[in-house]
Every structure is written in structure tokens, then in C-alpha cells.
Amino acid sequence: MEHHVGDVNGQRTHWVTAGGGDPVVLLHGWPQTWYEWRHLIPVLAQRYRVIAPDLRGWGETARPAGGYDVATVAADVAALLDRLDAGRVHVVGHDWGTPVGYHLAATRRDRVVSFTALEASIPGAGGENLLNFSQAWNPLWFFPFLATPGLPEQLLSGKQEQFFAWILAQMSRSTPGCLSAEDIAVYVRAYRDDDAVRSTCAYYANTWLSAAQIREAAEEPLNIPVLAVAGERSLGQNMLTFVRRLAPGADGVVLPGCGHLVPEERPDELAGLLTEFLAKAGR
């Protein structure tokens, strides 16, 4: 894996590349970075050119004052693909990387060969209702907390390490041992200051803007090959419902006993699903 830093769409951007062949773009989510793909990259790199950026405001990429809506972040990804002369690509997203990847696929249809959606509450496809506690299946108490502008920075200041270590431990309970202490430390370092909390929580604060952007993009259903993968102990069938509102013909898989962190809880299963799906989509 090679690390790169450069100016993309007017901001300092960090990305990782590996392998060669048709490009596959991996888009991470919260509270993670490109590092969540560490198990998957070596497998995909045997057949594909893998590109895994830190998204705007996360990891080693810049934290500008604004632009934390899916349309702007998708434009960042498109600009990176232009810089790398990547041509047509397969897009894989997890968590916030999924709505970003969807918006890219729906608005740059000449650029995206296939789209894989992993465990995400997609705003504009029903996922915004996770901010509504009338949803009986909603366990995500932290969504409205993170979406309240200015509040997370104030309450978490000086306590980032404790909060992110705790929440990652909660997220990984379905598969004990999938995150080592060293893995958690990597993510904690990425979120350890007030500005990192501000920039990453801004995605949640912009949920309704992103929902409107996705609804507009979804006026024409996505007709490329689409795969949705969910964890049984997380979003489950709700995730498949979200994706099929955007791409009615999407294939769907719910992984038994799996939680939200699919790339880290079930890396081997995911690698198998993706290898088969990407091969078919490429043909």
C-alpha cells in the first residue's frame, strides 16, 4: 500500500493506493478512516487498482470550514479520480461513504461501473429517520447528539479518547476481537482534537441537506449493478430497503451475527462477496 498527499478540489487530501487493473474506490465512514479497509485492500489489489481516500474532514485529509454534504464530498472523490486518471470505476462505500458513493454513482453515471453499499443509514432513502426516535428499531442515540452543531465539540473536549474508544468498543461487540487495542488507537488518534470532532460531526449536522441531494439524484433510479451488504445485528433488512429505494434491482445480503463494522467484522466474507460481484459487474 502506498500513501499519497496532494491538492484535490482545493484541499489537502490523503489517499492510499495498491494493486493494478480496473479501479475500485473504497469510501470509509464514521468514526473511521481509510484504515478500515486494511483487510480488504490486499485481496482486491490482486486483481484491481485500489484507491482508498480519507474523506473531507477525516484522517489526514484537510478539515475545511464547510462542505460536509454528500454532493460536495462526492465532488471531492470525482476530483481525485480525475487527478489519478482513473476512468470508469467500481465504488464501494461503508457508513457515510455509502451515501457519498451513491451520489457519485447517480450523478456521474458515465464514471461508475458498479456500486456496493455497506451498512449505512442513507439520508434521502429513509436513513434520515434515524434522527427520529419514534422509530422503534432505532438504537442509534448518538445520531441527534452528533448532529447538534457545536455540542459534540463542547462536551467531548478533552474526552475524545474516552468517547471514541468506548463507541468503537460498542460498535464491535457483535464480533469480539475484530478491533485490537492498536486498531482502536489508530482511530482515536484521528479524532483526538476538537477540530476533528467538528469536521466529522458536520456530516450529521448536514443530514437533511444530504437527504435533499440524494432525493434529487434518485429521481432517476440507479441502473448499474448494485450490491447491498448489512449486518444482522445492525441495520439488517432496513439497509436493503434503503438501497432498493435508490436502485430497485440491487442484490442484497444480510450477514448473520454481524454488526455495523462489516469490513472489520467479516473481512473474508466481504472479500468473497466483492470479488464475485465485481467480476460479474466488470463483464
Side-chain angles (χ1 to χ4, degrees):
M1 289 182 278
E2 297 181 357
H3 291 258
H4 313 265
V5 174
D7 185 272
V8 176
N9 208 20
Q11 66 182 354
R12 179 186 187 276
T13 300
H14 168 254
W15 68 95
V16 172
T17 59
D22 292 339
V24 178
V25 182
L26 306 177
L27 306 177
H28 68 87
W30 182 93
Q32 295 158 297
T33 66
W34 77 270
Y35 183 78
E36 73 163 276
W37 306 110
R38 63 195 177 281
H39 302 305
L40 193 61
I41 289 174
V43 179
L44 292 180
Q46 296 175 29
R47 302 185 184 186
Y48 299 96
R49 177 189 181 191
V50 181
I51 304 166
D54 280 336
L55 299 178
R56 171 184 292 245
W58 273 317
E60 297 178 48
T61 291
R63 305 168 187 165
Y68 298 99
D69 55 276
V70 296
T72 302
V73 182
D76 292 343
V77 178
L80 175 61
L81 299 179
D82 289 341
R83 177 187 173 115
L84 300 180
D85 195 24
R88 301 186 73 221
V89 302
H90 300 278
V91 176
V92 181
H94 173 234
D95 192 83
W96 273 107
T98 290
V100 170
Y102 166 75
H103 196 276
L104 178 68
T107 58
R108 311 290 176 98
R109 296 182 183 233
D110 59 326
R111 299 291 302 273
V112 180
V113 178
S114 74
F115 174 51
T116 301
L118 309 177
E119 266 293 315
S121 53
I122 305 173
E128 69 275 20
N129 291 327
L130 291 176
L131 294 176
N132 179 356
F133 276 81
S134 67
Q135 298 290 321
W137 54 272
N138 179 5
L140 301 176
W141 61 269
F142 55 85
F143 269 45
F145 167 63
L146 299 177
T148 305
L151 184 63
E153 301 97 293
Q154 293 182 50
L155 296 187
L156 297 181
S157 184
K159 303 179 179 66
Q160 294 94 337
E161 182 174 352
Q162 295 95 315
F163 176 76
F164 285 102
W166 179 84
I167 205 161
L168 285 160
Q170 299 304 305
M171 285 184 169
S172 60
R173 285 188 306 170
S174 297
T175 309
C178 70
L179 293 181
S180 68
E182 291 76 13
D183 295 331
I184 291 176
V186 169
Y187 296 133
V188 168
R189 283 196 297 272
Y191 291 82
R192 63 186 171 189
D193 61 70
D194 294 347
D195 199 45
V197 173
R198 172 198 63 81
S199 62
T200 57
C201 289
Y203 282 80
Y204 293 90
N206 281 289
T207 292
W208 298 105
L209 173 58
S210 292
Q213 293 168 345
I214 286 178
R215 282 192 291 269
E216 181 178 2
E219 290 178 2
E220 180 183 348
L222 203 58
N223 58 6
I224 56 175
V226 176
L227 172 65
V229 182
E232 177 193 28
R233 294 185 178 177
S234 185
L235 292 173
Q237 290 291 334
N238 294 292
M239 167 66 181
L240 273 54
T241 298
F242 297 156
V243 174
R244 286 172 176 154
R245 287 172 179 161
L246 307 173
D251 294 331
V253 177
V254 176
L255 298 177
C258 185
H260 179 62
L261 306 181
V262 175
E264 292 165 302
E265 294 184 55
R266 298 291 188 274
D268 294 339
E269 286 181 71
L270 179 59
L273 288 169
L274 268 177
T275 298
E276 181 179 359
F277 173 71
L278 294 177
K280 290 180 179 178
R283 288 197 294 271

